[in-house]
Amino acid sequence: MLLPLLTLALGLTGCSGESPAPQDPPSSAVPPTAQFGSVTLPEDPGPLVDTITKQVKAAGSVHADIVSGDERGSADLRTDSVLPMMTVTINDASPTHAVVLGGVVYARTEGSEVEPGRPWARLVRQEIPTAPQEVAAMLTTLLNQIEQALKQVSADTGLGLVRDGVFTRDASSEKLDGVPVRRYDGTTSGEKLPDKKVAKSGLDGIGWTLWVGEDGLPRKFSASLKSAVSTVTYSKWGSPVTVAAPPANQVSSLD
C-alpha cells in the first residue's frame, strides 16, 4: 500500500480547511513558465516548510514521479490553485488515469468501461450511486486509490511530516542528479501522524529525507515505515501544464 507522505497536491495547491463544493471545471489551465532565484533555507523545520510552501505556490506547476514498493505513478499538477488541479497515472497491471479539476475526479482504468463507449467516470464521493452494488464498490475503490495517489504526489504530504518532525542530523549539501541541493533527514513520531494506527501499533513513527534545491523547491522526498519505503521525485517546476476534463461524451453520467 502506498504510504501517505503527509504534505506535498492538496498542500501544494494551497488547500486548507473544508473544501469548496465540486463544480463543473474549466476545460484547461496552463500556468506561465516560472523563473526562480536562490533563497535562504532555514535550518529549523517550521521556517523551512514556510519557505518551501511559498516557493511551491509561486512555481505554479510541477511533475511528480512516485515509487512505493512495486507501485509506480506520476502526476502533473498546478501548485497555485485553491482546488487540486492535476493529471495522475497509476502504473500497475491495469494503469489508471485520473484528472482532478474543479473539485471533481475523472478516472478511467485501461481495458475497462463504466458503460459502453464511456471509459471515464466522474467521481464525487457523495454522488456515487448505491446501486448496483458492484458498480458502487468499484467506483468507491477507484476513488480511494486516486485520493491515495493525490496524497502521495502532493508536496503537502512530505511537508507536513517535516513540520511535525525533528531533524536527526545536521543538514548537508550534496548533488542530486547533478544539481546542488540541501539534504534534511528527520523523523516524525506516531503521535503526530493523522493515522493513529501507527502510534497504537507501537512503532516509533516515520523516518524521512527531504532534498531541496537552492531555489527552495523540493526535488525529492522519501519516507519509510519499517521496511516500506515511498519516494516522490519532483521535476519541471514552473513548466506549462494543461489540465483538461475528458470529452463529455466519454464520461459516464452514473445515472
Side-chain angles (χ1 to χ4, degrees):
M1 180 178 293
L2 296 176
L3 277 177
L5 305 181
L6 302 176
T7 53
L8 304 178
L10 300 180
L12 280 181
T13 52
C15 292
S16 61
E18 186 175 348
S19 299
Q23 49 190 288
D24 291 332
S27 59
S28 64
V30 184
T33 299
Q35 300 294 326
F36 313 106
S38 298
V39 299
T40 300
L41 294 175
E43 297 299 318
D44 294 318
L48 175 64
V49 169
D50 290 340
T51 298
I52 294 173
T53 300
K54 180 180 178 180
Q55 293 301 98
V56 160
K57 292 181 180 178
S61 65
V62 66
H63 175 82
D65 291 298
I66 313 156
V67 178
S68 183
D70 294 331
E71 297 181 312
R72 301 289 186 274
S74 63
D76 290 288
L77 58 149
R78 290 284 300 271
T79 65
D80 58 353
S81 59
V82 175
L83 287 173
M85 188 180 298
M86 69 190 77
T87 61
V88 180
T89 298
I90 302 173
N91 298 315
D92 53 18
S94 298
T96 296
H97 306 277
V99 176
V100 183
L101 195 59
V104 178
V105 174
Y106 299 88
R108 71 178 179 89
T109 299
E110 291 186 14
S112 66
E113 295 181 328
V114 181
E115 58 182 288
R118 296 177 182 266
W120 289 90
R122 180 182 183 275
L123 299 175
V124 179
R125 191 171 296 277
Q126 60 267 32
E127 296 179 8
I128 292 177
T130 56
Q133 191 172 21
E134 61 272 17
V135 173
M138 182 269 289
L139 295 176
T140 299
T141 298
L142 184 59
L143 183 56
N144 290 342
Q145 185 181 29
I146 296 299
E147 289 180 344
Q148 181 71 4
L150 300 188
K151 291 178 182 179
Q152 281 290 89
V153 302
S154 96
D156 248 16
T157 296
L159 296 182
L161 285 177
V162 174
R163 185 185 292 278
D164 292 334
V166 296
F167 294 135
T168 53
R169 53 179 287 187
D170 292 338
S172 60
S173 296
E174 59 185 52
K175 287 192 175 181
L176 183 66
D177 296 327
V179 177
V181 295
R182 291 286 283 174
R183 172 175 172 160
Y184 301 87
D185 294 275
T187 185
T188 304
S189 67
E191 288 75 14
K192 294 292 185 69
L193 301 177
D195 186 351
K196 299 306 178 185
K197 293 179 181 178
V198 175
K200 292 179 180 179
S201 69
L203 298 174
D204 293 335
I206 291 180
W208 45 262
T209 303
L210 172 66
W211 291 264
V212 184
E214 295 177 341
D215 51 13
L217 294 170
R219 292 301 190 275
K220 186 176 179 180
F221 184 83
S222 183
S224 60
L225 180 62
K226 296 185 69 175
S227 61
V229 179
S230 294
T231 301
V232 183
T233 302
Y234 299 94
S235 61
K236 301 179 182 178
W237 286 103
S239 297
V241 168
T242 297
V243 181
N249 62 2
Q250 295 183 19
V251 180
S252 173
S253 62
L254 301 181
D255 292 336

